Amino acid sequence: MPLTVKICGVTTHEALAAALDAGADMIGFVFFPKSPRHLSLAAAGEVSRRVEGRAQTVALLVNPEDGQIDAVVRAMRPDWLQLHGAETPDRVADIRKTFGVPILKAFGVADSDDLAGAETYRGVADRLLLDAKPPKNGLLPGGNGLAFDWTLVRDFSPGAPWMLSGGLTPDNVGEAVRLTGTPGVDVSSGVEDGPGQKSLAKIRAFVAAARLAQDQLGLATGSV
């Protein structure tokens, strides 16, 4: 299977173009007012339309109510809904059934005990995202630039496709892929010059480094 590369927290046409031209497979748009990467529905609809089928679009929400999900789905018709809060398996299943959009469920990892939670999403979420747990009293559930011990997921097999996130940068993504064997990588703050300020050069470098690791491991080329 090819390595899936996701650039999350895109807010500008320039960052989107850099991600698409570099060959990213997924583009993430954040709908969480506390995040510096938050987009209004109008802005997200405009930016996401420029993807034009070159990648899959992902709408990131945190503990959303149905009304918010409905508004986002209507505004941009995402290919995926990323649930990055404390959504239970039952809630994830309900959202998936109600809106008919594949679910990427994120959960925080600090130690091996946290990985056990992945089993409860088997058959419920279409893909899992392993992210570092946010710091205590942190405002953001993700995008904090923190990494967890990648050796914890070296033999991770949750029974569903998964992706690695948290603390990834152009400098370490190759090591992360080789160490964990992850089928996908997700980056946000690791390709920024400041909170919410995407670096076009870092986006290109990240995708290139991920693809180099893919080639070195002999993974198939292609997109999700």
Side-chain angles (χ1 to χ4, degrees):
M1 293 293 291
L3 180 71
T4 299
V5 180
K6 176 172 174 280
I7 306 297
C8 195
V10 170
T11 60
T12 67
H13 298 309
E14 292 78 11
L16 175 61
L20 292 174
D21 291 344
D25 300 299
M26 294 175 133
I27 308 294
F29 302 94
V30 176
F31 299 91
F32 186 57
K34 294 181 180 179
S35 171
R37 306 165 190 97
H38 172 69
L39 277 180
S40 68
L41 292 177
E46 180 185 354
V47 175
S48 65
R49 280 192 292 273
R50 292 174 178 259
V51 176
E52 297 179 339
R54 296 173 62 189
Q56 294 190 336
T57 56
V58 183
L60 186 158
L61 304 108
V62 180
N63 301 318
E65 296 183 354
D66 282 1
Q68 182 189 14
I69 301 172
D70 183 66
V72 168
V73 169
R74 289 176 181 273
M76 62 171 288
R77 300 187 182 280
D79 295 301
W80 292 80
L81 291 175
Q82 178 174 332
L83 302 178
H84 216 106
E87 301 88 2
T88 65
D90 286 344
R91 176 58 176 152
V92 171
D94 180 64
I95 292 173
R96 188 170 181 263
K97 179 180 179 180
T98 299
F99 296 96
V101 180
I103 301 295
L104 173 61
K105 178 66 183 90
F107 60 99
V109 176
D111 54 44
S112 58
D113 291 339
D114 294 319
L115 295 178
E119 290 293 331
T120 63
Y121 292 91
R122 182 192 297 268
V124 177
D126 298 275
R127 186 171 292 189
L128 303 176
L129 179 69
L130 307 187
D131 198 359
K133 276 190 173 179
K136 291 184 178 180
N137 301 319
L139 296 177
L140 304 179
N144 294 295
L146 302 175
F148 62 92
D149 181 2
W150 294 330
T151 63
L152 293 173
V153 296
R154 185 175 289 162
D155 299 313
F156 185 58
S157 181
W162 62 282
M163 303 180 73
L164 182 68
S165 186
L168 295 176
T169 69
D171 294 330
N172 67 18
V173 65
E175 175 190 3
V177 171
R178 289 186 288 269
L179 180 64
T180 66
T182 178
V185 290
D186 178 15
V187 67
S188 187
S189 61
V191 290
E192 293 179 348
D193 290 329
Q197 301 173 5
K198 288 290 186 287
S199 163
L200 308 189
K202 290 179 181 178
I203 289 174
R204 299 185 189 103
F206 183 90
V207 178
R211 295 299 180 217
L212 177 60
Q214 169 184 277
D215 293 343
Q216 291 174 337
L217 291 175
L219 300 174
T221 58
S223 59
V224 290

